[in-house]
């Protein structure tokens, strides 16, 4: 009897679990470069892929492009559970990693993935006027770089200003430490060059939501970097840069509470765009 009840309970859980998720689907392993590019590079063919999670019945859904962290040398794509079933399209991106490749390959891959989204989002019930870019740590760095330095998306005939909003989680705003490492520069030596989001502050950039952990628990002064980016965006006349410091959370732990701030940001930007 107990065994039959257990089987029945598992059936009910499975059934209702399916019912709760039937409005969304996920497709994995979509290549975001053309085959002519991937056929010449085995590593690119493996790594330059994305997964997309999207609503089946909602149209003109906002999209979040999510870049994973890992110091540009590790990590893997994933669909954040905190963003699921929120009426969002979620695009999770893999990109080539150090030491197999060096800068600026990481940034080029990120830009190519964003370009893919702009060209294909309407196929997945999305709206190319409502594409947001986010990511944690190295992923946040990539999001900021391709949004602020317009040349990366310009190569794909896309204006970075058409990005609806940018929300890096604990992202470097100076030159990334792995890129500095490639130049023989120590991780504790701050550099601001053309590969620093700070180098490209501009008045006409998309809205920015900067989120970090507690300044006393973050790595490598990450809060202060983001505070400086916010200040310099204000100095150049950008009207929509906000910084949240999540007190009590370290670099890794800050991501989970930050997702709700990201959702709030998307809703706010979309509401204001309709006014």
């Amino acid at each position: 009897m107990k065994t039959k009840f257990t089987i029945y309970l598992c059936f009910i859980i499975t059934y209702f679990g399916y019912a709760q998720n039937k409005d969304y689907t996920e497709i994995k392993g979509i290549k975001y470069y053309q085959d002519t590019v991937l056929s010449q590079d085995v590593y690119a063919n493996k790594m330059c892929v994305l997964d997309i999670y999207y609503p089946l019945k909602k149209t003109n859904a906002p999209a979040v492009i999510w870049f994973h962290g890992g110091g540009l040398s590790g990590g893997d794509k994933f669909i954040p559970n905190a963003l699921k079933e929120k009426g969002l399209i979620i695009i999770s991106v893999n990109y080539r990693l150090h030491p197999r490749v060096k800068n600026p390959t990481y940034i080029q891959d990120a830009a190519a993935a964003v370009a893919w989204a702009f060209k294909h989002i309407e196929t997945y019930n999305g709206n190319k006027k409502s594409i947001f870019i986010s990511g944690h740590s190295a992923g946040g760095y990539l999001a900021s770089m391709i949004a602020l330095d317009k040349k990366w998306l310009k190569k794909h005939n896309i204006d970075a200003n058409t990005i609806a909003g940018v929300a890096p989680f604990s992202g470097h705003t100076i030159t990334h430490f792995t890129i500095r490492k490639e130049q023989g520069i120590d991780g504790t030596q701050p550099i601001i060059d053309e590969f620093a989001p700070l180098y490209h502050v501009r008045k006409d950039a998309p809205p920015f939501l900067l989120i970090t952990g507690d300044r006393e628990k973050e790595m490598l002064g990450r809060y202060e970097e983001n505070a400086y980016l916010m200040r310099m965006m204000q100095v150049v006349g950008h009207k929509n840069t906000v910084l949240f410091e999540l007190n009590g959370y370290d670099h890794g732990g800050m991501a989970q509470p930050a997702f709700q701030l990201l959702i709030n940001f998307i809703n706010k930007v979309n509401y204001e765009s309709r006014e």
Side-chain angles (χ1 to χ4, degrees):
M1 184 70 181
K2 185 176 179 181
T3 302
K4 289 183 178 179
F5 175 76
T6 301
I7 294 172
Y8 178 72
L9 181 61
C10 289
F11 170 78
I12 293 295
I13 292 172
T14 301
Y15 175 81
F16 282 101
Y18 169 76
Q20 291 173 357
N21 291 284
K22 67 180 181 179
D23 292 336
Y24 293 84
T25 192
E26 183 176 344
I27 302 175
K28 296 185 177 182
I30 299 172
K31 299 182 188 300
Y32 55 81
Y33 279 117
Q34 294 181 349
D35 288 340
T36 52
V37 176
L38 299 177
S39 63
Q40 301 173 26
D41 188 329
V42 174
Y43 186 53
N45 189 59
K46 174 185 176 183
M47 298 297 291
C48 297
V49 295
L50 56 82
D51 300 340
I52 184 166
Y53 168 99
Y54 65 99
L56 293 171
K57 298 179 180 179
K58 181 177 180 179
T59 58
N60 290 316
V64 180
I65 302 173
W66 177 256
F67 294 107
H68 67 80
L72 300 178
S73 60
D76 197 5
K77 60 182 170 60
F78 67 96
I79 303 292
N81 287 328
L83 298 179
K84 290 183 175 181
E85 298 186 27
K86 300 293 191 300
L88 300 172
I89 299 168
I90 310 165
I91 299 172
S92 180
V93 181
N94 262 0
Y95 47 91
R96 286 170 285 182
L97 300 169
H98 175 92
R100 290 286 296 272
V101 298
K102 290 184 169 57
N103 182 56
T105 302
Y106 328 108
I107 305 170
Q108 292 168 339
D109 287 353
V114 171
W116 180 93
F118 271 95
K119 294 171 183 176
H120 297 279
I121 200 66
E122 293 175 349
T123 303
Y124 301 93
N125 297 333
N127 181 352
K128 63 182 178 181
K129 293 182 179 180
S130 189
I131 294 176
F132 294 78
I133 307 178
S134 186
H136 181 234
S137 195
Y141 164 80
L142 292 173
S144 296
M145 274 300 301
I146 59 180
L148 286 172
D149 185 356
K150 299 181 74 173
K151 73 181 181 185
W152 302 107
L153 285 175
K154 187 177 181 180
K155 294 178 180 179
H156 299 274
N157 298 314
I158 294 171
D159 184 349
N161 286 1
T162 59
I163 297 168
V166 190
F169 293 14
S170 291
H172 260 314
T173 71
I174 62 174
T175 303
H176 195 278
F177 65 78
T178 295
I179 296 173
R180 282 179 275 151
K181 177 182 177 181
E182 292 173 356
Q183 301 173 44
I185 301 170
D186 191 81
T188 57
Q189 174 65 60
I191 297 292
I192 298 175
D193 62 14
E194 65 176 310
F195 296 108
L198 265 164
Y199 190 83
H200 303 281
V201 293
R202 52 191 178 83
K203 179 179 180 178
D204 61 337
F208 259 79
L209 171 66
L210 306 172
I211 313 172
T212 75
D214 190 313
R215 70 187 74 186
E216 300 301 333
K217 296 179 179 293
E218 269 285 5
M219 63 183 299
L220 297 169
R222 203 60 60 91
Y223 166 80
E224 287 79 6
E225 286 185 42
N226 280 265
Y228 189 37
L229 177 61
M230 179 188 68
R231 176 61 63 194
M232 293 310 298
M233 290 287 273
Q234 292 172 345
V235 168
V236 299
H238 191 268
K239 302 295 185 182
N240 202 347
T241 300
V242 177
L243 170 62
F244 278 92
E245 177 186 7
L246 298 176
N247 292 328
Y249 290 92
D250 62 14
H251 182 71
M254 62 75 60
Q256 196 58 38
F259 282 118
Q260 186 58 53
L261 296 176
L262 171 59
I263 293 169
N264 295 346
F265 174 64
I266 293 169
N267 291 337
K268 177 177 181 291
V269 170
N270 283 336
Y271 175 78
E272 291 174 348
S273 68
R274 292 193 297 268
E275 289 187 328

